[in-house]
Amino acid sequence: MIKLDIHKSGIGESDLGKIRPEIMESFGRLVRRESEMMGWLDLPERLSKGDAELERVLGLAEEIRTSGSKVTLLVIGIGGSYLGARSFIEAAGADEGVEVLYAGNHMSNRELVKTYKIAVEAENLYVVVISKSGTTLEPALAFNMFEKLAHEKYGAEANKHIVAITDAHKGVLHDVAKAKNYGMFVVPDDIGGRYSIFTPVGMLPIAIACGVGTARELVDGAYEASRDLMGGEFGDNAAMQYAAVRNLFYRDNKKVELLASWEPSFGFAMEWWKQLFGESEGKDGKGLWVSSAMYSTDLHSLGQFVQDGSPILFETFVEFADIPGADELPLEASSGELDGLEYLDGKTLAYVQKSALEATKLAHARGNTPNISLVLPDSSAKSLGYFYYFMMLSCAISAYTLGVEPFDQPGVEMYKQEMFRILGK
């Protein structure tokens, strides 16, 4: 479903052939389940065949969606505990009857106060708090505030408006949720946060915001990806080849991968991608710096550097072959007008965008920035499900090929230890 185009990368078949044995060995480590944190690999298959926990998630989501007045969903989490859900909700769009708020993903007093004021006014507020331990400071602070608010608003009924997604057996949040009879779902022990979008961590907020049917389509896309990519050979496996290209660029002294999209709604999907690859590969003094750009906006800011700056970048474009309604906006004929746009007569905005995209790829390839493209059929829930699984698989392969463990994040834990020390914990 995802096509990889490397024609403007400068990388040839012979280059791919040389790195192929390393990629296949890295892929073999996944097939052999060499890490205990690989539960995400076969999760889409398990979900598609009827999973009791998923059905419980979807059942609660439907109950909340039909609970009366407009739903205000507050998702509390940081990093992998919320980026997957938010990235999909932003890309797909929440339903009209659902307002989605986020907290616990920053330490901005100003933003937290703004969110709190909206929640105070909400008629039908539901709080979903996501934390494996319950001790991560940003979500813990936010939950402290919004839990109290829910109890003020709903009194004895507050437990029906709070759901915790946390460890199955232990931890601060687990204990609080048990003691106060909040709804509870489990963060699986064998799936890390940045690989967790298809667990309740991602599926509950997505199903509430976008609908149960949309959530099922997301899983369908991931299952299709697992069938295509877990059994494929290198020659027809775009996930393996993407991992190969990234490592080839890295060895050629490219230090930064710039993920670029032309769709503003895809912005948080790129944020999810940055966490996935940044936490998985940035270890032991190794790894590409992962960044993102939103075109054409950033062509008028970062574009100069990308074109002519330090030759440290390669670009990965994420494209959608079909965008519903894209050809429904023909440009008005401008003959005789003074706007200078007569050369666009009869064309559509979709055609103009595609032309600008192609021009950008050509220009950057002729400059200092080789590029590749990942082409999705469309921006449907199914295609996005395929994208998430594709990226998780490719990331794990790429990290193993780089020589690092894909499933830990010791640097993040170090910052937390220092912060708690300064705060006197």
Side-chain angles (χ1 to χ4, degrees):
M1 184 182 282
I2 289 181
K3 295 180 180 179
L4 174 65
D5 181 354
I6 64 171
H7 290 107
K8 298 178 181 68
S9 67
I11 292 172
E13 291 298 325
S14 61
D15 300 306
L16 292 175
K18 289 175 184 176
I19 199 173
R20 179 184 179 277
E22 296 176 62
I23 296 294
M24 294 305 298
E25 171 55 28
S26 297
F27 179 69
R29 297 183 69 176
L30 296 173
V31 172
R32 294 190 296 272
R33 302 293 200 274
E34 291 190 6
S35 168
E36 62 183 15
M37 298 302 291
M38 292 184 183
W40 56 274
L41 271 172
D42 62 355
L43 180 59
E45 179 180 5
R46 287 185 277 128
L47 296 180
S48 70
K49 293 183 177 178
D51 178 83
E53 184 78 340
L54 176 62
E55 294 308 315
R56 198 164 71 88
V57 165
L58 299 183
L60 178 60
E62 186 63 23
E63 182 181 321
I64 290 172
R65 285 170 58 85
T66 57
S67 61
S69 57
K70 181 176 181 178
V71 172
T72 297
L73 169 66
L74 174 66
V75 181
I76 298 176
I78 196 167
S81 294
Y82 102 108
L83 272 172
R86 184 167 188 175
S87 68
F88 180 83
I89 293 167
E90 297 275 346
D95 289 348
E96 273 189 29
V98 183
E99 174 185 34
V100 187
L101 306 174
Y102 301 93
N105 57 309
H106 55 71
M107 287 191 178
S108 166
N109 289 311
R110 179 182 179 184
E111 290 301 312
L112 198 57
V113 168
K114 285 168 58 177
T115 303
Y116 188 82
K117 288 180 179 179
I118 296 171
V120 166
E121 298 299 322
E123 293 182 21
N124 196 17
L125 176 68
Y126 284 87
V127 177
V128 175
V129 56
I130 308 162
S131 178
K132 180 77 169 173
S133 66
T135 59
T136 303
L137 187 56
E138 295 91 336
L141 283 173
F143 184 54
N144 179 270
M145 291 177 57
F146 290 101
E147 181 190 26
K148 291 176 181 175
L149 175 61
H151 280 274
E152 290 171 6
K153 290 173 74 73
Y154 302 111
E157 297 287 302
N159 66 321
K160 297 179 181 178
H161 289 259
I162 299 174
V163 183
I165 304 175
T166 187
D167 190 90
H169 307 292
K170 62 184 185 303
V172 172
L173 183 56
H174 169 274
D175 294 346
V176 168
K178 277 284 188 183
K180 297 184 180 181
N181 196 31
Y182 297 153
M184 283 186 68
F185 293 96
V186 170
V187 180
D189 289 335
D190 59 353
I191 299 177
R194 58 190 177 274
Y195 294 85
S196 68
I197 185 172
F198 301 111
T199 73
V201 170
M203 296 304 293
L204 181 61
I206 287 169
I208 295 171
C210 304
V212 169
T214 299
R216 291 192 189 278
E217 290 174 21
L218 177 69
V219 171
D220 289 345
Y223 182 37
E224 182 174 327
S226 71
R227 294 198 311 270
D228 288 351
L229 303 173
M230 284 304 293
E233 290 297 320
F234 181 83
D236 58 6
N237 191 311
M240 290 189 199
Q241 292 177 16
Y242 176 49
V245 167
R246 299 182 79 257
N247 277 271
L248 287 168
F249 274 130
Y250 182 72
R251 295 173 188 184
D252 194 34
N253 213 32
K254 294 296 182 183
K255 301 298 185 185
V256 179
E257 179 177 11
L258 185 67
L259 192 73
S261 173
W262 290 68
E263 296 299 329
S265 64
F266 199 69
F268 262 93
M270 295 197 292
E271 294 299 311
W272 171 85
W273 172 87
K274 285 193 286 188
Q275 190 214 357
L276 175 68
F277 279 90
E279 280 195 353
S280 296
E281 290 191 321
K283 297 156 195 169
D284 304 331
K286 300 178 182 179
L288 288 159
W289 175 258
V290 283
S291 188
S292 62
M294 186 58 67
Y295 292 156
S296 65
T297 303
D298 285 335
L299 291 176
H300 298 266
S301 57
L302 300 175
Q304 175 62 42
F305 184 94
V306 176
Q307 184 69 42
D308 290 331
S310 301
I312 59 173
L313 298 170
F314 74 93
E315 264 176 316
T316 300
F317 288 91
V318 176
E319 304 174 35
F320 302 96
D322 178 58
I323 298 176
D327 292 321
E328 295 175 7
L329 291 170
L331 297 171
E332 295 287 336
S334 56
S335 300
E337 298 293 333
L338 300 177
D339 58 13
L341 296 177
E342 59 276 356
Y343 66 96
L344 298 178
D345 285 357
K347 297 180 174 67
T348 65
L349 287 175
Y351 177 80
V352 172
Q353 178 178 311
K354 289 177 182 177
S355 299
L357 167 60
E358 187 60 26
T360 302
K361 291 192 289 186
L362 288 168
H364 289 179
R366 290 171 184 164
N368 288 331
T369 307
N371 55 76
I372 64 175
S373 292
L374 295 170
V375 185
L376 283 68
D378 51 42
S379 57
S380 66
K382 187 174 182 179
S383 290
L384 290 171
Y386 198 107
F387 168 82
Y388 290 120
Y389 191 89
F390 173 99
M391 283 298 182
M392 291 190 292
L393 180 64
S394 191
C395 179
I397 296 169
S398 182
Y400 276 138
T401 304
L402 184 64
V404 298
E405 170 58 46
F407 307 115
D408 64 2
Q409 52 279 340
V412 176
E413 299 309 314
M414 190 173 296
Y415 123 78
K416 290 180 183 178
Q417 292 167 14
E418 287 298 312
M419 179 176 63
F420 288 140
R421 180 185 63 79
I422 292 170
L423 292 171
K425 182 177 180 180

